[in-house]
Amino acid sequence: MIHPLHITGLHPGTLEPSREAAKHIAKADVLSGGKRLLKSFSNFKGKIIPFTSPMEKYASTLEKELAEGRKVVLLADGDPLLFGIAASLTPLLGKKNVVVIPAVSSIQVGAARLGRSWVDFKMVSLHGRNDYTPLFGAMQRKMDCAVYTDATNTPQAIARQLVNKGVDNYSMAILSQLETPEEVVAQGRPESFLNFTCPDLNIVILTADNKECSTPLFGRSDDEFIREKGLITKLPVRSTGIALLDLRGQQVVWDLGAGCGSVAIEGSFISPDSHFYAVEKKPQRVEMIKENIRNLRAWSVEPLCGEMPQALAKLPDPERIFMGGGIGRDDRVIREAAKRLKPGGRIVVHAILMGSIQRTRDLFDELNWSWQSMQIQAATSDQLAGDIRYKAHNPVTILWADKPEGH
């Protein structure tokens, strides 16, 4: 008879199993899990299998034990499905071959210590990850965040990241060694934790000062952006370009020739967990991008100063590319952008000059990409002689194309 794998959560800190979990552990032939968890069951008489990576090899080891008819229990900390091992292991073994017995999570315990409801927390794991984009994206939408840490992404390292970004509207709580005699709960602003140290068993909870949406997620006035006079993708055209980008979640997005960063900043508020790169060659404009990021709290936008296409070598391949001021006098930049764009991705080009329009068309035709285009000329109200007139903007041609799969 083949038994299912029982993944049992242990109470954070005390590592006590529930009554149901204890029954399965008592009947098990094999006990597996991390070394810290296995130490709590040193009296277990059966076979011990410590967790090893990669996950695929570990899954095969457990699958072999199950196929030979052994009862296998895998120990986990807290809720095995909340950024835990069950979420990774179940797809490899199949749902019908896994039974999960959850315990209370460390997030629940931490929220209780603070007298908070955790139901609206954005839960982010930095355990074994180096991408802060999901955290920054949630924070710029003023969400309260609960963060799983590790030995690299410590509370001190997280505080440093927030201070470097200029985050000034969040308080920080560090909860260490929960449910143990060494438990510590420390609260303050991120800058107060730059030299803070604590054991690796900890979580961080970040709370927004004010969750009221005083600014729009989309459709900001041009006057909200610090910029060189006249050098901005203006609201009517900017809104159209962002719509045509067809932004989704968890993407890498390039804004090339970013100017003051208006496209990247606006897009970052409507594309959760995406990483936006605003590339601009002029240092004074990059400083404007940085100031706009701070003022509008667009933490998931990263400015980059450099000449294109060379500067693009530093960036991860994108799913979306916007080119508003980066085409230049030849096709080197757009050609490199098209090369780096992921299959199925989209590029949107704004152009005013006929040469830029023609070079874009020629490249899309050469690559055999199906493309579309529209021209927009907006006019906005303006006071004149005690009355109102409409002041025309420059006509802008928008070209967009999707990179075929397999290219």
Side-chain angles (χ1 to χ4, degrees):
M1 177 182 178
I2 297 179
H3 303 279
L5 172 68
H6 282 81
I7 305 179
T8 63
L10 305 176
H11 191 88
T14 65
L15 299 183
E16 289 290 329
S18 67
R19 185 178 300 176
E20 181 184 2
K23 289 179 180 178
H24 288 287
I25 293 170
K27 296 177 181 178
D29 303 306
V30 179
L31 197 60
S32 186
K35 292 180 180 178
R36 178 177 65 88
L37 304 183
L38 289 172
K39 284 181 180 178
S40 295
F41 296 88
S42 57
N43 294 328
F44 181 75
K45 302 302 182 184
K47 186 176 182 179
I48 296 290
I49 300 178
F51 170 79
T52 57
S53 59
M55 186 65 72
E56 290 77 9
K57 185 177 180 180
Y58 179 62
S60 296
T61 300
L62 298 182
E63 200 167 28
K64 181 180 178 182
E65 296 292 333
L66 295 169
E68 293 177 358
R70 298 186 182 92
K71 297 177 182 177
V72 182
V73 171
L74 170 57
L75 303 175
D77 199 347
D79 184 348
L81 286 167
L82 184 60
F83 293 111
I85 193 168
S88 302
L89 198 57
T90 300
L92 298 174
L93 297 178
K95 288 183 180 180
K96 68 179 185 299
N97 300 316
V98 176
V99 174
V100 178
I101 306 173
V104 64
S105 70
S106 57
I107 298 296
Q108 289 173 287
V109 176
R113 290 291 184 274
L114 300 177
R116 298 281 310 281
S117 170
W118 54 269
V119 68
D120 292 325
F121 284 169
K122 169 68 175 179
M123 299 186 190
V124 178
S125 178
L126 293 175
H127 190 85
R129 300 170 171 88
N130 292 315
D131 184 9
Y132 278 68
T133 303
L135 177 60
F136 292 146
M139 293 179 74
Q140 75 179 54
R141 297 194 301 278
K142 300 183 180 179
M143 300 177 71
D144 293 341
C145 302
V147 187
Y148 286 96
T149 67
D150 66 11
T152 300
N153 297 298
T154 62
Q156 180 187 34
I158 293 169
R160 189 178 304 113
Q161 288 275 357
L162 300 185
V163 171
N164 289 343
K165 275 284 181 180
V167 174
D168 60 357
N169 61 327
Y170 270 82
S171 60
M172 186 171 177
I174 300 172
L175 303 107
S176 175
Q177 301 285 84
L178 287 169
E179 298 282 77
T180 72
E182 294 77 30
E183 178 177 304
V184 172
V185 177
Q187 300 182 65
R189 308 302 284 188
E191 55 269 23
S192 67
F193 293 111
L194 293 176
N195 297 310
F196 184 86
T197 58
C198 65
D200 290 343
L201 288 176
N202 62 74
I203 58 171
V204 168
I205 293 178
L206 297 160
T207 304
D209 293 343
N210 182 359
K211 299 177 182 63
E212 293 181 8
C213 293
S214 57
T215 58
L217 290 180
F218 184 62
R220 287 171 173 77
S221 164
D222 294 343
D223 291 336
E224 291 191 47
F225 296 93
I226 296 169
R227 63 193 187 276
E228 288 186 33
K229 186 176 180 180
L231 290 177
I232 187 173
T233 303
K234 294 181 174 65
L235 173 60
V237 180
R238 182 171 73 244
S239 300
T240 304
I242 292 174
L244 290 172
L245 275 172
D246 187 26
L247 295 171
R248 313 290 176 90
Q250 299 180 325
Q251 293 179 321
V252 172
V253 185
W254 292 358
D255 178 3
L256 306 184
C260 68
S262 61
V263 170
I265 288 171
E266 285 241 88
S268 72
F269 281 92
I270 60 175
S271 183
D273 297 349
S274 290
H275 199 148
F276 286 76
Y277 293 91
V279 186
E280 173 55 52
K281 68 179 179 180
K282 293 193 174 182
Q284 66 269 30
R285 293 181 187 168
V286 173
E287 291 306 311
M288 291 178 181
I289 295 173
K290 291 178 180 178
E291 193 164 352
N292 286 324
I293 289 171
R294 287 192 296 269
N295 291 343
L296 299 171
R297 296 188 169 112
W299 312 126
S300 60
V301 178
E302 184 172 335
L304 177 65
C305 185
E307 288 278 352
M308 295 184 290
Q310 297 91 328
L312 304 181
K314 304 175 183 178
L315 304 181
D317 290 346
E319 284 86 7
R320 296 290 186 270
I321 299 175
F322 175 82
M323 298 187 67
I327 296 178
R329 298 186 179 277
D330 55 41
D331 67 356
R332 291 182 305 141
V333 176
I334 191 171
R335 186 174 290 277
E336 179 65 15
K339 177 183 175 182
R340 294 285 304 281
L341 183 66
K342 289 184 178 180
R346 174 170 290 190
I347 184 169
V348 175
V349 178
H350 284 193
I352 295 176
L353 301 176
M354 292 298 296
S356 298
I357 297 168
Q358 189 62 52
R359 285 193 295 277
T360 302
R361 287 187 54 185
D362 290 346
L363 179 63
F364 288 162
D365 287 340
E366 176 191 328
L367 296 174
N368 199 28
W369 291 10
S370 177
W371 58 272
Q372 298 180 70
S373 145
M374 70 169 70
Q375 189 176 79
I376 293 180
Q377 183 170 18
T380 53
S381 60
D382 185 43
Q383 291 186 348
L384 179 67
D387 206 341
I388 299 294
R389 67 161 180 166
Y390 281 98
K391 185 177 181 180
H393 299 177
N394 287 329
V396 177
T397 299
I398 304 177
L399 303 97
W400 69 98
D402 296 331
K403 185 171 186 176
E405 296 286 352
H407 281 227

